[in-house]
Amino acid sequence: MTPPTADELGLRLCHHCRLACDATAQHCPRCNTWLHRRKHNSIARAWALMMTALILYIPANVLPIMHTSSFTGDSDTTILGSVVTLWLDGAWDIALIIFIASVGVPVTKFLVLGLLLLTVGRGSERSRRDRTRLYRGLELIGYWSMLDVFVAGLLVALVQFGALGSIEPRIGILYFGLVVVLTMLATMSFDPRLIWDTEPHHE
Amino acid sequence: MSNGTTPQSPPEADVTSRRWRLSLVWLVPLVAALVGLSMLIRAWQDAGPTVQVSFETASGLTPGQSQVKYRNVVIGEVSDIQLSGDNRNVLVTIELNHEAEAFTREDSRYWVVRPRIGTGGISGLDTLLSGDFIAADPGNSEQRTNRFEGLESPPPVTYGEPGKRFELKAQDLGSLDIGSPVYYRKVRVGQVVSYGLDKSGDGVDVVVFVNAPNDRFVTGDTRFWNASGIDIGVSADGLELDSESLISVLTGGIAFGTPEFSANREPAQAGTQFQLFNERGVALSPGKGPAQMIRMRFDQSLRGLKEGSPVELIGKEIGEVSRVTLDYDPASHTFPVVVDARVYPQLMGQAYGKLLSAIGEPVGGPSEVPLLFEELVSQGLRAEARTSNLLTGQLYVSLELYPNASKTEFNVAKRPIRIPTRPTSLEKLQEQLTRLVERLSNIPYESIARNMDGSLDALQQTLGQINRDVLPSAVDSLQGMDQVMAQMQSTLTTASDALDPDSPERARLGHALDEVERMSRSVRELTDYLRRHPEAMLRGRAAPARSELAP
């Protein structure tokens, strides 16, 4: 039913230049990169990075990401706080975008990655094709969470009117940026081929 | 691809390296967790006490947003606002910072900062835009609590500010308010801290705070006065304008100073009571001593004399008019004006003591003042309403000695003391003028004019008669005389002819004839003159007539 795997054909794919090499070779004959059958330590790395991201996601949401000072007063903004403020002010569309970018996407990533890691760890065979599709989606949406960081960076750069008003970044945005980077790294360290590696065990 | 000799060795290496890398990778979440934990611990350590403050209203306060500030440093945040159980108050829960632990002292104060126009200018304007915030002032007490009653208005003086509080007794508050400035020599040295009606409701107790080091200028003899607004007074001294500073004009203020004569230069103790005078002049004037009521009765209109008009004894102000009332005398159908006045005999200064010793009364005797006035009245003391200001028509009561005034009775036992009066100088002037006019109108101008008319008529008749009768006859007689003279001349000529030309008689006769000739010429001239100027008979010859007589 399924076509033969590269392993079965005695081939290994170079991670770097995507050249199909002989499975016995140590280095890629074209780009001289180390050849591995699967990504190194993939599941553990993905788990560790995702856990880190999860831990950092807490301060990213709790701590303020921006400090707005104007003659109307100073205020610290957290991600969810700004979403609520925008929503209450009637700008539900912007609130929705920020909510999706800063809460929806990371949480989805955590859930999807967690699911993939768990199923791979358990050697599950169910809906492997869908899981692979999920992984593709995960890679696709990965950097969209950086929207928040960009917005904050843009505002900080633009809104500098001295006494009239200025916006300064706060530590929360750093954590948030780290969360996004770490989830991307975790996604990258996950090897989707592991989803299909269950087949030989099954056989 | 072709080299497949060692397919087993790489998996072994994989296994060993995998174990080692596993622990390294898991360091990342561990570090993250540690960092998070340390932040949590720090936040927990930073979390300060939570206090609950009750306010009348929560207007302007938002949970999670309103801040608590001390010296404009954020020390906490409002975390919750609830109604109190009885719905009378608002309970504001404040989460204080760790370092704001001092704000749980029992006498700490909390109040909401709102825009206020105060004496120091406009404050709290930033809250117009940023929303109100709660300000706090840490107390000194050792006791701690977490329930406070918030102040509805900011306390003007914070704890720990060096200076002294003084209590002022005032008749009314005037335009003073909490925060009204206190001036010393027009320098702002303090402010009004609080005020309230005194227990009896008869006055107002105003507490002022004078900042160190200027509080040392408040001595036992210091006088405080209300420097609110501009004092424009029309008084016996003319128009008076006095103000302390522009701010005090707008918002009121208190000034203090020590009179020149003050001997007590020791700084006053904190909490000393002072009287708050209404104006500077009163405040700084020396002590008046006890007042004595006097009553005067004037038989004239006293328009311009009113309450507060000064009473002067020989030019020295010794009191003020307290009441002006109208009386009716049914016997004479007149309305005498009764003037009651307060006099402060001690304002007479040295004269007071000397007068008393002159009449043999000890200072401080029970009826020393009536006796003193008796003595003065016997010396001719009279009250008189005088104009002090012609422009405004203000009057004042002047007590002056008129040694030749008619004697009057003085009843020592009567209260208030009755001081005999005498008409005003203006009144007297009026009287004299009236008398003068009366006398002038009594002169019989008509008969005088008639008489004069008759005399002038008679004079005219006389002159006409002279002209008509006397002058022509005089001319005639003079002409006759001329003829006589001519005859005489001819006679004498014949006589001269008759005489020998050498004889002395002849010569004398010639002389005589010359004389006669000159005479006749003069007579002719005279008659000519008289013919031309008959009035010369009466008036004599006019001075420049000499040239006319030349021929």
Side-chain angles (χ1 to χ4, degrees), chain A residues 60-152:
Chain A
N61 275 302
V62 170
L63 295 177
I65 55 163
M66 275 193 302
H67 177 80
T68 317
S69 61
S70 67
F71 51 83
T72 63
D74 293 10
S75 67
D76 285 328
T77 320
T78 59
I79 291 169
L80 284 172
S82 67
V83 169
V84 170
T85 311
L86 283 167
W87 185 274
L88 291 177
D89 287 352
W92 58 271
D93 38 4
I94 300 174
L96 208 65
I97 289 171
I98 292 182
F99 182 79
I100 288 170
S102 55
V103 181
V105 173
V107 169
T108 314
K109 281 205 290 194
F110 289 133
L111 291 176
V112 170
L113 200 60
L115 180 83
L116 290 175
L117 286 168
L118 277 174
T119 48
V120 168
R122 274 196 8 227
S124 167
E125 297 167 36
R126 288 170 56 191
S127 54
R128 283 182 288 208
R129 197 180 287 266
D130 289 339
R131 279 190 275 149
T132 312
R133 209 173 285 141
L134 267 181
Y135 179 75
R136 299 253 175 269
L138 204 61
E139 273 193 317
L140 195 73
I141 63 167
Y143 35 79
W144 280 104
S145 294
M146 276 306 211
L147 190 77
D148 270 17
V149 184
F150 289 146
V151 166

Side-chain angles (χ1 to χ4, degrees), chain A residues 22 24 45 48 52 63 71-72 175, chain B residues 1 3 25 29 32 39 129-130:
Chain A
D22 183 46
T24 54
R45 270 193 205 173
T52 318
L63 295 177
F71 51 83
T72 63
Y175 286 117
Chain B
M1 231 183 235
N3 190 2
V25 160
M39 278 169 58
L129 299 161
S130 68

